[in-house]
Amino acid sequence: MNTPEFSCLPLKPALLENIESLGYSRQTPIQAESLPHILEGRDVIAQAKTGSGKTAAFAIGLLSRLDLSRFKVQALVVCPTRELADQVCKEIRRLARFTQNIKILALSGGTPFAPQRDSLEHGVHVVVGTPGRLQEHLQKHSLRLDHLKVLVLDEADRMLDMGFSDIVTDVISHAPSHRQTLLFSATYADPIREMSQRFQFKPVSVSIDTSHHDNVIEQRFHKIDKAHRLNALGYLLAYHRPESTVVFCNTKRECQDVADTLANCGFSVQALHGDLEQKDRDQILVRFANKSCSVLVATDVAARGLDIHDMQAVINYELPWDAEVYLHRIGRTGRAGKKGLALSLCTEAELNRVKAIEDFQTLSARWDEVAPFKLAYEQRFQPPMVTLWIDGGRKQKVRPGDILGALTGTAGIAGSEVGKIDIFDKQAYVAIKRESADKALTCLRNGKIKGRNFNVHKSHWS
Ligand code: ADP
Ligand code: MG
């Protein structure tokens, strides 16, 4: 099916040009269905699976509505988690990257309040935030929504799952009733319909049937003995050698055990669970996304809102009880048209879970062999990139171009050796191809970035 190009939408030429420069040649199905209504100013309730391009749909909608000469909050996006808020913020910034003087601000918990308040005082057009922190700003009057034109509820189903219903209601009560409300969700159950009834006015409802996406994710099931679960996991990783994999466990404890064992066997692995400090969580996600850590072992709770692109595989170390949770897990691979691999380990006693999954998707499971395998301690599975950590960030006015310039300038490292660059408030991370990492490290240590010397380290796990 050929979806329409963006040029058939009534968009400002600069926005259109930027969308095309990002390589978005055609609209995704959910964009094609929802954008005409969004641009007309209608309330829209949109449902499509993760990775279908919902963010750009509402981002393009809200960017089209802004009056940049007025420094008032005109668009608000409410997201369930901080990671999601950060990602949505990034996508909106990408789509607005050539727009002068536009202020887009993330307001999430886990980061200091005062700097957010200061940024708000300077005037902001678009706010992306999590419910709790938004509520706090509204109560303290650092955030006002009197001039709000567009309200977006992203991943509304997750927000309800996480118990944010009352807080979201309170946040919305500060917004003018004459506004556009866009509600996005991966599922379309009764609570979502109710939410729509409460907050939307004559909404247009658009939904993309998920079944025609199914062939993008290859699902394979592997029958194993309980005692061989870890070895079987080692086999799947060694056989498929994915550059990026999320391994799902059902408990926090198991998550840590599995990560520790894999680490001891030379895998590049990190555990992602709810007990981590935000700073460690940020670092882990940076390293996973920039391909200097290949395996993330996670619980469902910790992986909430995780949205990393190009993930090659998802492995269910143990199947969840609920078929819907299974679908949510595997939906993290095979995004935006790329092929993904979903591998699941299953004991005899867990076969009923596979049955539930088959029923839910109306398909029959494909079973594959796990060859005998023993996790050994001398194996090395090295990721393609190494992360260098720089002791300076946004506060020191370090920008990606400065780091790239320092590497490719006098040091003569080819631009193709440099991967993702992530800038935080007080630190920055740059991914370098493993072969060039030492050279890059020496060069950054001896040279200057923005005319200054910064401390630079190889992040200690690499
Ligand atoms: P969702 O919110 O539906 O889970 P996202 O908005 O995160 O999905 O989009 C998934 C990926 O698809 C992102 O990497 C995004 O940049 C990309 N994407 C969005 N729209 C398009 C498009 N029209 N063409 C190509 N890629 C797109
Ligand atoms: Mg989304």
Side-chain angles (χ1 to χ4, degrees):
M1 183 179 63
N2 257 354
T3 51
E5 294 175 14
F6 284 95
S7 55
C8 63
L9 293 168
L11 297 173
K12 291 177 203 154
L15 180 57
L16 185 63
E17 217 170 279
N18 186 31
I19 292 172
E20 282 166 1
S21 78
L22 291 174
Y24 294 5
S25 46
R26 294 186 171 278
Q27 300 179 52
T28 66
I30 190 69
Q31 290 162 357
E33 290 291 322
S34 64
L35 266 169
H37 303 295
I38 294 177
L39 293 172
E40 261 177 22
R42 296 284 307 265
D43 280 5
V44 173
I45 169 165
Q47 183 241 328
K49 69 159 213 158
T50 36
S52 52
K54 297 192 286 295
T55 318
F58 65 72
I60 291 170
L62 67 85
L63 287 173
S64 306
R65 293 284 302 274
L66 300 178
D67 172 0
L68 294 176
S69 64
R70 306 178 67 198
F71 280 82
K72 304 279 183 196
V73 176
Q74 297 166 49
L76 171 67
V77 184
V78 190
C79 300
T81 65
R82 179 185 159 184
E83 276 80 29
L84 241 152
D86 286 348
Q87 275 150 8
V88 166
C89 206
K90 269 190 199 153
E91 176 86 356
I92 300 178
R93 287 203 175 113
R94 250 154 52 90
L95 286 162
R97 62 184 173 165
F98 296 126
T99 311
Q100 301 274 315
N101 296 325
I102 182 169
K103 292 278 180 256
I104 301 161
L105 181 66
L107 294 182
S108 314
T111 32
F113 188 86
Q116 295 181 347
R117 191 186 49 212
D118 296 346
S119 303
L120 282 165
E121 253 171 39
H122 283 99
V124 169
H125 299 109
V126 181
V127 165
V128 183
T130 50
R133 184 54 67 93
L134 288 170
Q135 187 184 41
E136 201 180 339
H137 278 291
L138 286 164
Q139 280 166 355
K140 295 184 176 159
H141 305 292
S142 38
L143 172 65
R144 306 194 65 99
L145 299 178
D146 318 309
H147 294 83
L148 194 78
K149 294 190 209 163
V150 188
L151 169 73
V152 182
L153 303 171
D154 192 22
E155 306 231 353
D157 47 348
R158 299 269 117 206
M159 289 207 272
L160 295 180
D161 285 352
M162 292 170 82
F164 286 143
S165 178
D166 290 347
I167 304 183
V168 170
T169 305
D170 182 43
V171 167
I172 298 177
S173 72
H174 289 81
S177 49
H178 186 75
R179 57 161 198 259
Q180 181 181 26
T181 307
L182 307 174
L183 195 158
F184 285 79
S185 173
T187 58
Y188 195 13
D190 286 345
I192 293 294
R193 276 178 239 265
E194 272 165 35
M195 199 176 189
S196 163
Q197 275 169 8
R198 279 203 290 153
F199 300 128
Q200 295 191 293
F201 176 70
K202 291 195 182 165
V204 183
S205 156
V206 296
S207 170
I208 298 299
D209 178 15
T210 48
S211 56
H212 70 270
H213 288 290
D214 284 353
N215 54 358
V216 179
I217 303 175
E218 197 172 320
Q219 303 177 52
R220 299 188 194 176
F221 294 80
H222 304 82
K223 207 180 291 172
I224 48 147
D225 287 338
K226 198 166 175 212
H228 292 139
R229 212 187 272 277
L230 262 171
N231 282 324
L233 173 63
Y235 169 79
L236 293 180
L237 288 170
Y239 179 84
H240 293 285
R241 290 190 164 254
E243 274 179 7
S244 56
T245 310
V246 174
V247 176
F248 279 100
C249 295
N250 288 354
T251 66
K252 206 166 18 181
R253 171 84 197 280
E254 194 165 62
C255 174
Q256 193 64 56
D257 289 350
V258 169
D260 289 347
T261 309
L262 290 178
N264 285 334
C265 297
F267 285 90
S268 145
V269 55
Q270 289 283 315
L272 189 72
H273 52 64
D275 292 348
L276 291 169
E277 278 189 39
Q278 193 62 51
K279 202 171 117 244
D280 295 326
R281 212 180 137 91
D282 284 341
Q283 284 196 17
I284 289 171
L285 292 176
V286 161
R287 292 187 53 238
F288 187 67
N290 75 17
K291 298 206 187 312
S292 66
C293 166
S294 308
V295 184
L296 209 56
V297 187
T299 57
D300 291 296
V301 175
R304 245 178 210 154
L306 188 74
D307 183 39
I308 294 192
H309 312 309
D310 295 339
M311 197 162 355
Q312 291 175 349
V314 165
I315 302 181
N316 289 296
Y317 182 70
E318 188 182 334
L319 283 169
W321 295 97
D322 188 337
E324 216 167 325
V325 174
Y326 169 84
L327 269 194
H328 197 256
R329 285 182 181 181
I330 71 166
R332 294 161 192 286
T333 180
R335 317 200 101 189
K338 294 196 179 98
K339 203 163 172 74
L341 198 56
L343 308 169
S344 300
L345 298 174
C346 172
T347 64
E348 187 79 34
E350 293 157 6
L351 282 175
N352 53 344
R353 300 185 206 176
V354 179
K355 177 80 176 56
I357 289 165
E358 288 180 310
D359 290 348
F360 196 80
Q361 299 185 80
T362 50
L363 56 76
S364 53
R366 169 181 163 175
W367 291 93
D368 256 10
E369 291 293 308
V370 175
F373 184 85
K374 190 141 180 42
L375 273 171
Y377 287 80
E378 71 278 8
Q379 281 151 351
R380 300 285 303 162
F381 296 91
Q382 289 190 322
M385 309 296 279
V386 169
T387 297
L388 301 184
W389 169 73
I390 299 163
D391 175 27
R394 229 172 267 134
K395 287 259 154 61
Q396 289 73 30
K397 305 235 181 319
V398 173
R399 282 173 307 184
D402 303 325
I403 298 175
L404 190 64
L407 286 164
T408 54
T410 44
I413 293 194
S416 55
E417 300 290 290
V418 183
K420 218 161 157 276
I421 298 176
D422 291 277
I423 312 270
F424 286 76
D425 276 349
K426 291 178 188 156
Q427 58 249 345
Y429 303 90
V430 51
I432 309 279
K433 284 204 180 137
R434 183 164 292 278
E435 305 73 53
S436 304
D438 288 329
K439 191 173 164 200
L441 180 64
T442 317
C443 129
L444 286 181
R445 276 188 175 158
N446 298 336
K448 290 183 191 265
I449 302 171
K450 278 215 108 110
R452 279 187 53 182
N453 285 308
F454 287 97
N455 271 325
V456 185
H457 297 279
K458 231 191 228 183
S459 74
H460 48 275
W461 315 272
S462 298

